Amino acid sequence: MIPLLSGLRVLDLTTVIYGPLIGQVLGDFGADVIKVEGPEGDLARAIQPRGPHGDSAMFVCNNRNKRSMVLDLKTAAGREVFTRLLRWAEVFVHNMRPAAIERLGFGFAPVAAINPQIIYCAAVGFGSGGRYAGRPAFDDVIQAAGGIAALPSYRGQDPAYVPGVMADKVAALTATYGVMAAIAARGRGMVGAIEVEAAMFESVAAFVLNEHLAAAAFGGPPEAAGYHRMFAPDRRPYRTQDGWIAALPYTEQQWRRLLDFTGRCDVLEAPWFSDPGERSAHIAELYTVLAEEMTRRSTIEWLKVLETLDIPHAKVNRLEDLLTDPHLQDVDFFAPNGSGLARSARQPVRFPGLETQPDRPAAALGADLEAVTEMLGYDAAQIAQLRAGGAFGAPS
């Protein structure tokens, strides 16, 4: 835990990955995050594989550095406690659909009336004001809508999803920097409730179009979108004699060193090679040459050659390779950090010289219920009354 946000009070009403990752990043930076779940718990707790305490790896990897509170917001008693939590919080994050959060009475306007200084972050699928607003949104749907799934089709392949929860994570980090900007604005004197809306669709569309807007940015037709270098058939991991490797000569000097080493004078002497614009136009040909040459040596030979030539390169790591990668070992990427896991990827942002604190493991469902209710000012009799009213789920 990096104590830059120590004392910041965050109320987290989120599930699965998109919302929980926002709260975790804030918690990683020292915020006091209270995660509120329904009596059934976050759906992600049950996704396989599950650890010895019954919670999934996905859940514990997105919910460290949080306290856990259970509330049934369908009950008046549960909403009463939640309202008191909103008065306590400085930041409120949810990833419910707009109609659902409004039905509970916790849309932006009513929450701002409860806490006029709240930073209110709505992590939604599609932005308000658009015709898709309110639609259900999950990662595969947003990869398709946001352009990620179609990218392979520009190389003659079928559309495909990235085999990772890409859209959720891109949108979560987008929402997080939105919240961070609001926190900074508050610190610079901005007053009043601040509404932050982060939409998965818009986040992924911006992410994809960063380089792929291309000529369409200058007024070209929609068909002018697309960064041509990304679509070259031989822009890919290259097969060596015994494995796979990534290599990316980028500058003229890097290409010259590699082509000189491989004896490809035919390319070096091509009339287009020395002109940056023409070389860019012929990038697909260069990648084809690279693919051909890579098959002539082993992976370990190429790693040594490319390092000597100072050309960006990497062995193609599988997931299991990351767990033993020597660089990640050097920087204590998987060092025990109090997360309660045998392995946990630490917060990748570092602040050398700043003393860190142990992470708090992902909490069992409702583990902090009594501590939180007492912090909110409820006495034992009132807590018993709330329990009887179903605030924490069906009374026993």
Side-chain angles (χ1 to χ4, degrees), residues 45 63 79 82 199 244 256 261 303 337 341 344 375 392:
R45 286 186 183 269
N63 288 282
R79 292 192 295 274
F82 194 75
W244 297 88
R256 282 189 179 279
F261 175 81
L303 291 173
N337 56 5
L341 295 171
S344 178
M375 176 197 74
F392 315 125

Side-chain angles (χ1 to χ4, degrees), residues 56-396:
S56 73
M58 178 186 290
F59 180 85
V60 298
C61 286
N62 287 284
N63 288 282
R64 66 180 175 233
N65 294 321
K66 301 179 185 181
R67 296 194 274 172
S68 176
M69 180 72 176
V70 172
L71 287 175
D72 186 347
L73 297 182
K74 295 177 183 178
T75 67
R79 292 192 295 274
E80 176 196 323
V81 178
F82 194 75
T83 297
R84 198 172 292 197
L85 278 168
L86 285 168
R87 293 194 183 102
W88 166 87
E90 296 172 271
V91 177
F92 170 47
V93 182
H94 77 82
N95 65 337
M96 297 181 68
R97 289 165 72 177
I101 196 74
E102 291 288 352
R103 280 196 302 271
L104 290 174
F106 299 119
F108 174 69
V111 167
I114 293 167
N115 182 345
Q117 294 300 311
I118 198 78
I119 294 170
Y120 183 106
C121 177
V124 298
F126 300 90
S128 61
R131 64 189 64 196
Y132 307 152
R135 285 186 182 180
F138 289 95
D139 197 89
D140 291 359
V141 172
I142 299 300
Q143 285 201 38
I148 291 177
L151 291 176
S153 69
Y154 290 86
R155 297 173 59 174
Q157 302 164 7
D158 290 338
Y161 300 130
V162 174
V165 190
M166 180 67 69
D168 273 30
K169 291 181 286 189
V170 168
L173 296 178
T174 302
T176 302
Y177 71 64
V179 171
M180 293 287 198
I183 293 169
R186 180 74 75 230
R188 297 173 69 86
M190 186 173 180
V191 297
I194 302 173
E195 185 174 12
V196 179
E197 181 184 87
M200 292 177 71
F201 179 45
E202 287 93 314
S203 297
V204 169
F207 183 80
V208 169
L209 290 173
N210 178 278
E211 75 277 16
H212 283 304
L213 200 57
F218 302 113
E223 308 83 65
Y227 179 21
H228 70 282
R229 185 175 77 83
M230 301 291 105
F231 302 144
D234 283 313
R235 178 193 169 264
R236 55 185 173 84
Y238 300 114
R239 185 181 288 279
T240 66
Q241 287 180 343
D242 60 354
W244 297 88
I245 195 170
L248 183 59
Y250 198 79
T251 66
E252 179 181 349
Q253 293 73 22
Q254 289 168 348
W255 277 111
R256 282 189 179 279
R257 290 196 296 270
L258 182 63
L259 293 168
D260 183 65
F261 175 81
T262 56
R264 295 300 300 262
C265 295
D266 58 316
V267 180
L268 286 170
E269 294 169 0
W272 48 263
F273 180 80
S274 296
D275 181 87
E278 287 297 306
R279 193 170 58 253
S280 174
H282 287 79
I283 194 66
E285 297 170 48
L286 287 169
Y287 284 152
T288 298
V289 170
L290 190 56
E292 293 169 354
E293 295 299 326
M294 287 290 145
T295 62
R296 306 187 193 283
R297 290 175 171 78
S298 69
T299 298
I300 191 66
E301 288 178 293
W302 272 120
L303 291 173
K304 291 177 181 177
V305 167
L306 293 167
E307 183 170 0
T308 299
L309 297 178
D310 194 26
I311 291 171
H313 65 280
K315 177 172 71 73
V316 176
N317 280 329
R318 293 177 60 82
L319 298 177
E320 55 268 29
D321 296 326
L322 291 177
L323 302 182
T324 57
D325 183 90
H327 175 86
L328 294 180
Q329 300 289 332
D330 292 342
V331 298
D332 294 328
F333 190 72
F334 296 110
N337 56 5
S339 68
L341 295 171
R343 288 191 183 94
S344 178
R346 65 163 169 78
Q347 173 58 239
V349 179
R350 303 180 84 180
F351 296 84
L354 183 66
E355 186 175 351
T356 61
Q357 301 168 359
D359 285 324
R360 178 188 179 116
L365 180 61
D368 303 287
L369 190 153
E370 290 191 9
V372 170
T373 48
E374 290 174 4
M375 176 197 74
L376 294 174
Y378 292 102
D379 60 29
Q382 290 171 319
I383 293 172
Q385 187 176 7
L386 290 169
R387 193 179 300 277
F392 315 125
S396 57

